Amino acid sequence: PSRARRLRHPPGETRLEALAGTRPSMFALTAAPRCFAAPVARAGTTSSTRSNVRAASRSVRANASAAPPASKTSEESFLDVSDMPVTEFDENGVERVLLQTQGWDTWVWKGHACNYISAGVGNTGPIVVLVHGFGAHSYHWRYTIPALARRGCRVYALCMLGYGWSPKVTAPYSMEFWGEQVIDFSREVAGSSESDKAVIAGNSIGALAALYAASNSPETTKGLCLVNSAGNFAEGAAPGPEKKTFAQHAVGTASPKIRDPTDPDAAQNLTQLEKLQEGFGRLVATGIFFFTKVRIKNILQQVYESVPDADLVRSIELAAEDPGAIDTFYQLSLAGGRTKITAGDLLEKYNGPLMLLWGVKDPWMTPEKASRILEIKPNAHYVPINAGHCPHDDAPVECSRKMGDWAESLVA
């Protein structure tokens, strides 16, 4: 049965199959993924219509610093959070960040004002950095942010460059590119350091960016949580995605053919064939862009166990309204081809605490992938969730509780 969404307001049998008890079907994602990001926020800022069925939930919004009403909480204690972003409650009485079409706070990285959401900055619990997946954004952690902040965590959710409310710019996107951004964000915004390390959690390709950050900055990382991680962890796998996007196939199979779009010399040195391949790749990506744009809700329904709500769909639709969205989508679809390091190598390199928070009904990143990760890291803490590709939004109460318990255990 469908589960209504929650909202809140501001301030032989493999090991995995035995644990999860389920084996969803595989859906091969060969086109560019399912979401975009919202329009860029105005540089320098620092800080939807709702459906009729949510009318009742609007009446329970409270002031940004207030904790949820006692009847809305579990047995856990919740803190008042003075800097909580505006939130609301969904039909199930669960708090989530309220959608803001203009975005939230910004942080300048490589000259671009990248958006992020934070809460509980003055708390004394662990720093938690949240990284979204392909086409998603910081708002996709709308339930996790207030839930962890009210437990005392210092929570920071980034919109990676090219996504969400961050600028849609031409850039050489890759896992290394976003991983370096996560490292810088963790240090410069979240304040992680050798004496105050961060827990980094990522979903889908955001899990790969989180893995890159954790493995390359162990001195500022306390733990890593992979939420239905993308990436090919098979032994001997090549860098990049398990399945090439249509745009990658159009441009060519060898990664050197996927040029740095910010390098003028690379553009001038393209052969006629390479120019034709690139032009065809752009055409293909444009077609996928518009095809995806009209199917956002349907695509989400394929990977959610519950019914995606109007705010989530709208938050993704906002991306297509950005003037640079189409060209950025093309560059994003080539990110896997530019990636030089393998997911398996990054995982081998990482030696810290590891949590696998896995929606076992995910048709894309099935439990078999988590099983492979456990073969490499048998001491990882595996938590199966009866949810799809985005369990933090599909089953937010359970996911927030499990993630919070684990993060707190690392500092106990």
Side-chain angles (χ1 to χ4, degrees):
S2 299
R3 182 192 51 73
R5 289 269 184 266
R6 343 175 179 191
L7 313 111
R8 299 218 179 187
H9 81 305
E13 187 176 50
T14 66
R15 175 184 174 189
L16 234 248
E17 289 167 339
L19 288 168
T22 184
R23 185 169 179 252
S25 61
M26 171 63 81
F27 177 84
L29 182 62
T30 56
R34 56 216 180 281
C35 341
F36 298 86
V40 63
R42 294 185 297 272
T45 60
T46 55
S47 30
S48 311
T49 302
R50 319 220 68 79
S51 62
N52 291 334
V53 297
R54 293 208 216 138
S57 70
R58 280 192 295 242
S59 66
V60 297
R61 292 182 191 165
N63 294 329
S65 61
S71 61
K72 302 294 181 184
T73 67
S74 66
E75 68 280 359
E76 298 173 280
S77 60
F78 284 82
L79 301 175
D80 286 350
V81 179
S82 62
D83 65 343
M84 185 76 79
V86 178
T87 67
E88 60 187 353
F89 293 96
D90 68 5
E91 301 93 330
N92 293 333
V94 183
E95 188 181 23
R96 73 179 181 190
V97 173
L98 178 69
L99 178 62
Q100 304 287 336
T101 59
Q102 295 304 310
W104 289 265
D105 294 342
T106 56
W107 157 68
V108 178
W109 188 69
K110 294 185 179 295
H112 303 292
C114 296
N115 213 267
Y116 70 95
I117 305 174
S118 64
V121 172
N123 289 344
T124 58
I127 297 171
V128 180
V129 173
L130 304 170
V131 189
H132 61 81
F134 189 101
H137 38 54
S138 56
Y139 176 72
H140 206 196
W141 297 98
R142 55 190 175 162
Y143 293 110
T144 314
I145 293 166
L148 295 188
R150 293 206 186 281
R151 293 184 59 145
C153 297
R154 292 164 284 169
V155 189
Y156 300 83
L158 169 68
C159 277
M160 294 186 289
L161 188 62
Y163 293 109
W165 286 260
S166 291
K168 311 300 178 296
V169 299
T170 297
Y173 300 111
S174 67
M175 283 306 105
E176 293 90 341
F177 183 90
W178 289 311
E180 289 296 333
Q181 185 179 19
V182 173
I183 290 174
D184 291 344
F185 177 77
S186 180
R187 293 174 177 175
E188 297 175 16
V189 178
S192 64
S193 64
E194 292 188 22
S195 60
D196 191 10
K197 300 181 179 183
V199 173
I200 306 177
N203 173 232
S204 194
I205 69 161
L208 290 182
L211 174 58
Y212 179 94
S215 62
N216 284 281
S217 185
E219 67 278 9
T220 59
T221 303
K222 184 176 297 293
L224 170 66
C225 178
L226 301 181
V227 184
N228 289 68
S229 178
N232 191 345
F233 294 91
E235 186 175 359
E242 292 160 285
K243 300 288 185 180
K244 292 184 183 295
T245 64
F246 289 137
Q248 282 179 259
H249 282 298
V251 172
T253 56
S255 57
K257 291 178 180 284
I258 302 178
R259 66 180 177 87
D260 180 346
T262 63
D263 182 356
D265 292 334
Q268 292 176 359
N269 294 330
L270 288 176
T271 66
Q272 191 62 34
L273 176 59
E274 288 170 339
K275 290 178 181 179
L276 289 172
Q277 287 177 319
E278 186 170 301
F280 182 62
R282 288 180 181 275
L283 181 64
V284 169
T286 300
I288 295 171
F289 175 90
F290 286 108
F291 181 69
T292 304
K293 178 181 176 181
V294 299
R295 296 181 64 251
I296 291 172
K297 185 173 183 179
N298 290 338
I299 295 171
L300 289 171
Q301 288 174 334
Q302 293 176 19
V303 295
Y304 269 65
E305 285 297 290
S306 55
V307 178
D309 65 274
D311 280 353
L312 178 61
V313 175
R314 178 56 184 154
S315 71
I316 295 168
E317 289 174 340
L318 286 169
E321 298 172 7
D322 189 285
I326 295 177
D327 185 65
T328 298
F329 184 80
Y330 168 67
Q331 297 297 340
L332 295 178
S333 69
L334 299 178
R338 294 193 185 101
T339 297
K340 307 300 182 185
I341 192 168
T342 70
D345 287 344
L346 287 174
L347 190 61
E348 292 279 7
K349 183 178 179 180
Y350 177 69
N351 293 314
L354 175 63
M355 178 184 195
L356 302 182
L357 190 61
W358 216 272
V360 296
K361 298 297 182 67
D362 185 354
W364 292 346
M365 311 305 170
T366 68
E368 284 79 5
K369 177 169 289 189
S371 182
R372 170 57 185 158
I373 295 174
L374 285 169
E375 290 176 7
I376 301 172
K377 296 291 185 182
N379 293 325
H381 178 47
Y382 171 62
V383 180
I385 303 292
N386 187 33
H389 184 60
C390 310
H392 56 291
D393 194 64
D394 204 7
V397 170
E398 183 179 6
C399 280
S400 295
R401 182 183 301 115
K402 297 293 187 181
M403 186 184 296
D405 289 346
W406 182 73
E408 290 171 0
S409 74
L410 300 181
V411 297

